[in-house]
Amino acid sequence: MIFLSLSFVPAFATQNNISDSNLQVELTYPDMVKQGSEFVLSSIVKAMVDQVSNITLTISSPEIEFSQNSFHIDRLVKDSALGNNFNAKVKQETPDGTFLANVEVNYYVKGYFETQSMKKTLTQAIQLNAESKPILTVDIQAPGDVFAGEPFSIKGIIKNQGANAQNIQLTLTSSEIELAGKKSFSVSNLDSGSMADFEFVVQTPKELGTPTHATIHINGTYSDEVKIYHVGNSLNVFARQRGVLEIGDANGIWLGSFFIAPVVGVGTIVSSVIGFLIFAWHYKNKKKTRKSKR
């Protein structure tokens, strides 16, 4: 018989396994917890052999208050499992940063050739991270080279490594080049441990004049219940005028002082087509000549 109890697993969670040859315990809990807030620590206990009994799982920490910190199972047969949720709350006075919770598993197991069950103990300290405020980071991707007056995309990901964040606002600016298009992005809420994608689509002036190396800044604000925070990042682009006979992407590479872009001149394409037609005409005439000689 297999016992199964479904446990709540947080969307952004850490997993820890404690095991020996007789028993396996899987613990799941949030990546981040906040002082004064409740969270769930889930456990699944699985027997790897027969004759495992009187299993008691206990979790304790001076930084956590549990409604019940112990879970007991009378008996598990081989390959059966049982789960339990520990409802917990981080104490308000817990400082920001990592802290430990101690996990202890006591059980009895009886071997095939033993007359009495033997007591076994598993212990392990698990690490949790408490944050009283949201902590946002912004990762960005953008082409290094763009054509003047043509739209290009700046994509990125906002990650929240702290407490829940609210009213997230991002804006795109540059003091060296004028940008037009979509230059703002907002998210009302971003939970702890979660992330959100964003994209700006902008373009430089059509008549740029000289090629320009510009720094583009992404500046943002976000808040919690009491305070406003700031976040930012930056990237560099090289904007230049597209040549009259150029088609393709401006995002090329630099070799020393020479820029090599993956663009193709229209003249090159036309020359290639004309060359192919001339080759085909010569090849066709050569076949006709061979047939007439026969």
Side-chain angles (χ1 to χ4, degrees):
M1 179 184 294
I2 295 188
F3 298 92
L4 180 62
S5 174
L6 296 179
S7 297
F8 170 79
V9 178
F12 299 91
T14 297
Q15 285 190 337
N16 253 304
N17 291 320
I18 307 170
S19 64
D20 61 12
S21 58
N22 302 315
L23 205 67
Q24 177 179 297
V25 179
E26 182 181 286
L27 300 171
T28 305
Y29 46 92
D31 287 337
M32 195 75 59
V33 293
K34 185 179 180 181
Q35 293 88 336
S37 297
E38 297 179 352
F39 69 98
V40 174
L41 195 156
S42 301
S43 66
I44 297 177
V45 181
K46 181 179 180 181
M48 311 302 291
V49 297
D50 282 320
Q51 305 294 330
V52 180
S53 61
N54 292 322
I55 307 160
T56 302
L57 171 61
T58 305
I59 303 176
S60 59
S61 172
E63 281 79 22
I64 302 176
E65 297 174 352
F66 291 95
S67 57
Q68 185 174 351
N69 74 328
S70 185
F71 171 52
H72 182 78
I73 305 170
D74 289 334
R75 184 177 299 275
L76 284 177
V77 298
K78 183 179 180 181
D79 294 328
S80 64
L82 192 62
N84 179 69
N85 288 338
F86 293 91
N87 296 315
K89 182 179 180 179
V90 184
K91 293 181 178 179
Q92 192 68 53
E93 62 271 19
T94 300
D96 284 354
T98 58
F99 64 93
L100 299 177
N102 295 311
V103 181
E104 181 175 297
V105 185
N106 292 301
Y107 68 93
Y108 288 82
V109 62
K110 183 178 179 182
Y112 290 108
F113 303 105
E114 296 174 352
T115 57
Q116 292 185 336
S117 297
M118 299 292 294
K119 184 179 179 180
K120 303 285 185 179
T121 301
L122 293 172
T123 58
Q124 183 169 310
I126 61 173
Q127 182 174 285
L128 296 97
N129 199 355
E131 288 294 343
S132 59
K133 60 183 181 295
I135 302 174
L136 265 59
T137 61
V138 178
D139 298 327
I140 48 180
Q141 292 181 342
D145 306 278
V146 299
F147 283 129
E150 298 184 15
F152 63 95
S153 175
I154 299 175
K155 297 180 180 180
I157 299 175
I158 311 170
K159 299 178 182 178
N160 186 1
Q161 299 173 335
N164 294 348
Q166 304 170 0
N167 302 321
I168 301 156
Q169 305 284 337
L170 298 181
T171 56
L172 205 66
T173 61
S174 177
S175 59
E176 298 156 321
I177 196 168
E178 183 182 345
L179 296 172
K182 181 185 176 183
K183 298 184 291 182
S184 63
F185 177 83
S186 63
V187 178
S188 57
N189 293 286
L190 195 61
D191 291 340
S192 173
S194 61
M195 61 184 66
D197 297 325
F198 65 86
E199 181 178 14
F200 302 104
V201 180
V202 294
Q203 64 187 54
T204 67
K206 292 182 179 179
E207 300 300 326
L208 191 60
T210 59
T212 302
H213 289 276
T215 300
I216 298 176
H217 301 279
I218 296 179
N219 298 311
T221 59
Y222 59 96
S223 64
D224 55 17
E225 294 84 358
V226 295
K227 190 176 179 180
I228 295 177
Y229 305 91
H230 297 270
V231 67
N233 205 337
S234 62
L235 59 100
N236 296 311
V237 298
F238 176 70
R240 68 180 181 89
Q241 212 75 35
R242 181 189 287 274
V244 177
L245 298 179
E246 283 183 323
I247 60 173
D249 190 355
N251 193 24
I253 59 173
W254 283 93
L255 292 178
S257 58
F258 297 96
F259 178 73
I260 300 177
V263 296
V264 181
V266 174
T268 303
I269 297 174
V270 173
S271 299
S272 300
V273 173
I274 293 173
F276 174 76
L277 293 175
I278 292 173
F279 169 78
W281 181 77
H282 279 296
Y283 181 75
K284 187 176 181 181
N285 284 342
K286 189 177 275 189
K287 287 183 72 176
K288 285 182 179 180
T289 303
R290 288 176 181 172
K291 287 182 179 180
S292 63
K293 286 182 179 180
R294 291 178 184 176

